[in-house]
Amino acid sequence: MRIDDPVVLDLTGVTEKAALMDRCADVLALPDWFGRNWDALADCLGDLPEPVALVVTGWQEYARASPREWRTAQEVFATAVDESPTRLMVLLSLGESFGGSDRAPAASLG
């Protein structure tokens, strides 16, 4: 897993679950069968083809607008990391922006 070139999940402007799922699908290049629900996200995070260092930015607005959903999202990410610690790392950026890949290449999610 390469931390020097993380995949950035920018949640700026996201205030509800559907938008979060859309961003995850785009940034992580999730498969077409991704059902855009918590269970499907958990399944996809466990099946990533290559190790990923994921940096979540701009999450504060979502956390304020949908605190229950944000807690659930954190639980899904944390469980995925616990189940695959050598394949997934999720970091929350506390600042406004973060450098790195805006989008993971389809052939190289890592």
Side-chain angles (χ1 to χ4, degrees), residues 11-35:
L11 298 182
T12 302
V14 170
T15 59
E16 44 87 27
K17 178 180 162 187
L20 169 74
M21 296 294 170
D22 288 343
R23 297 268 175 104
C24 288
D26 289 343
V27 169
L28 294 168
L30 299 180
D32 291 339
W33 57 262
F34 172 55

Side-chain angles (χ1 to χ4, degrees), residues 25-107:
D26 289 343
V27 169
L28 294 168
L30 299 180
D32 291 339
W33 57 262
F34 172 55
R36 288 178 166 68
N37 60 60
W38 299 121
D39 289 336
L41 180 59
D43 290 344
C44 286
L45 290 172
D47 291 338
L48 293 173
E50 295 183 22
V52 174
L54 182 67
V55 177
V56 183
T57 65
W59 54 270
Q60 295 89 339
E61 182 179 2
Y62 181 55
R64 283 190 296 273
S66 302
R68 281 187 181 170
E69 288 178 8
W70 176 239
R71 280 191 299 276
T72 301
Q74 290 179 85
E75 290 171 9
V76 169
F77 285 124
T79 299
V81 170
D82 287 345
E83 291 176 357
S84 300
T86 62
R87 306 222 12 104
L88 179 65
M89 176 187 304
V90 178
L91 306 164
L92 295 181
S93 175
L94 299 179
E96 293 298 316
S97 63
F98 183 86
S101 299
D102 288 333
R103 184 179 191 117

